[in-house]
Amino acid sequence: MSDGTGSDLGLGTTDALAAAPVSGGAMRSARRGKDRGGRGRGAVAKLRQLGIGASWPAKVSWVFLIAIVLVALVGPLLISADPVRQTSSAMLPFGSPGHLLGTDDLGRDELARLVHGARPLLFVAFASTALAAVIGTGVGLLAGYAGGVVEQVLMRVVDLALAFPSILLVILLVAAAGPGTTSLVVGVGVSLAPGLARLARALAARETARDYIVAARLGGTRTPRVLVQEILPNIAGPMVAQVVMTLSVAAGFAAGLSYLGLGIQPPTPDWGYMVQAGQEFLYSAPRLVVLPATLTLLFVVACNFVGDDLRDALDPKGTV
């Protein structure tokens, strides 16, 4: 818009200069400067513009979360020790030759078990969270968009599931299917889906009442296309933040069930089972309990901080 004097409304001096045409030479100079500064700096700037990692707890949590994922992915390739091989060198302390973190009561290398134990826990946490996100988002989208009888039926089922304590529901599902990775993923995923469904339903109902959705429906757009291409992208921000926070709950459930013997079964190393196996030596060798328990706790806390950070960045107005 113009105010009649030749200047654009809403554009200050800096904005007007930024909007001015840039010559090819200036653009090449800018690219060279950007290259000298490094591409990583540009990526960091973009993250700062989004508001991601604004506080120091968020920064630390992002670094820790990425580090744990990298350890789970590539750590077992870098550790030569066998995490399940039993030796006569039992209960070696910290700093023992060839065993940086010592060994457990069966002579197994503790560092190798911690590194290899990250992968099963993270696999269960990520897989069950993905399952919960698919089920919960799908049910919530359909309920919020359809309304009426469909919404009432779906949400009553969700409310019935929420009436059970989550941990009790997980234990019942896993105990019915039998211990193991598959049953653990399904049990945790199904138990966490209702919470995501309620959030998705509230967000979808809000979007359904807006003009662009009304226009799409009047224009004859098919329901699956409206749900996937119109509503889902507009509720993705809050949903992603909630899914990341759900990841922490899934990790806690996975570790807890492994501690109870209903999760990942030995001899596969797992942080939850390592806590259970080491509690017998809590006073003589507390590291057997403290190390896996601390890593699990830090992972859960980091997921919560990262989820809060994403929520603030993707839903700054707190519309949920």
Side-chain angles (χ1 to χ4, degrees):
M1 294 178 61
S2 176
D3 61 359
T5 62
S7 61
D8 291 335
L9 293 177
L11 288 177
T13 302
T14 303
D15 295 331
L17 290 174
V22 181
S23 65
M27 292 180 66
R28 287 191 294 270
S29 298
R31 289 195 190 99
R32 286 195 296 268
K34 185 176 180 180
D35 292 338
R36 285 194 298 266
R39 295 181 180 180
R41 187 177 302 174
V44 172
K46 290 180 180 179
L47 292 178
R48 288 177 178 175
Q49 289 177 358
L50 291 175
I52 294 177
S55 62
W56 70 264
K59 291 186 179 69
V60 173
S61 298
W62 274 106
V63 171
F64 180 81
L65 199 59
I66 294 173
I68 288 293
V69 172
L70 290 177
V71 167
L73 292 177
V74 303
L77 303 177
L78 304 177
I79 299 294
S80 59
D82 188 345
V84 298
R85 180 174 176 268
Q86 302 180 18
T87 67
S88 58
S89 304
M91 304 301 286
L92 293 179
F94 282 119
S96 299
H99 303 284
L100 182 62
L101 298 181
T103 58
D104 64 3
D105 58 310
L106 298 178
R108 296 172 295 190
D109 186 81
E110 188 70 7
L111 176 60
R113 291 182 62 76
L114 287 174
V115 172
H116 283 262
R119 182 177 291 182
L121 178 67
L122 265 64
F123 172 78
V124 172
F126 279 100
S128 58
T129 301
L131 179 62
V134 171
I135 297 175
T137 303
V139 171
L141 272 176
L142 184 58
Y145 178 77
V149 177
V150 175
E151 179 184 16
Q152 291 298 320
V153 172
L154 291 177
M155 296 316 295
R156 294 298 77 78
V157 174
V158 169
D159 291 340
L160 181 62
L162 288 172
F164 287 90
S166 297
I167 186 62
L168 179 60
L169 183 59
V170 175
I171 292 176
L172 290 175
L173 292 174
V174 174
T181 303
T182 302
S183 60
L184 188 59
V185 169
V186 174
V188 175
V190 170
S191 66
L192 295 179
L196 295 175
R198 292 193 67 176
L199 176 61
R201 177 260 167 197
L203 294 170
R206 182 192 66 186
E207 294 297 320
T208 301
R210 296 193 172 179
D211 293 340
Y212 75 98
I213 297 297
V214 175
R217 299 177 73 172
L218 292 177
T221 306
R222 297 174 63 88
T223 297
R225 184 173 181 179
V226 174
L227 293 176
V228 176
Q229 296 186 7
E230 301 292 343
I231 297 180
L232 185 58
N234 287 285
I235 69 172
M239 288 301 301
V240 167
Q242 188 62 35
V243 166
V244 174
M245 298 184 73
T246 303
L247 179 64
S248 66
V249 182
F253 282 170
L257 289 172
S258 294
Y259 175 85
L260 296 174
L262 296 175
I264 299 169
Q265 298 299 297
T268 303
D270 173 76
W271 290 350
Y273 176 74
M274 290 173 66
V275 173
Q276 188 272 338
Q279 65 181 0
E280 180 182 353
F281 311 99
L282 182 59
Y283 295 102
S284 59
R287 58 186 171 80
L288 299 179
V289 173
V290 172
L291 290 176
T294 301
L295 288 173
T296 304
L297 175 62
L298 291 177
F299 179 77
V300 170
V301 172
C303 287
N304 279 289
F305 275 113
V306 168
D308 285 335
D309 190 44
L310 287 174
R311 182 187 58 193
D312 294 340
L314 300 176
D315 189 33
K317 295 181 180 180
T319 54
V320 182

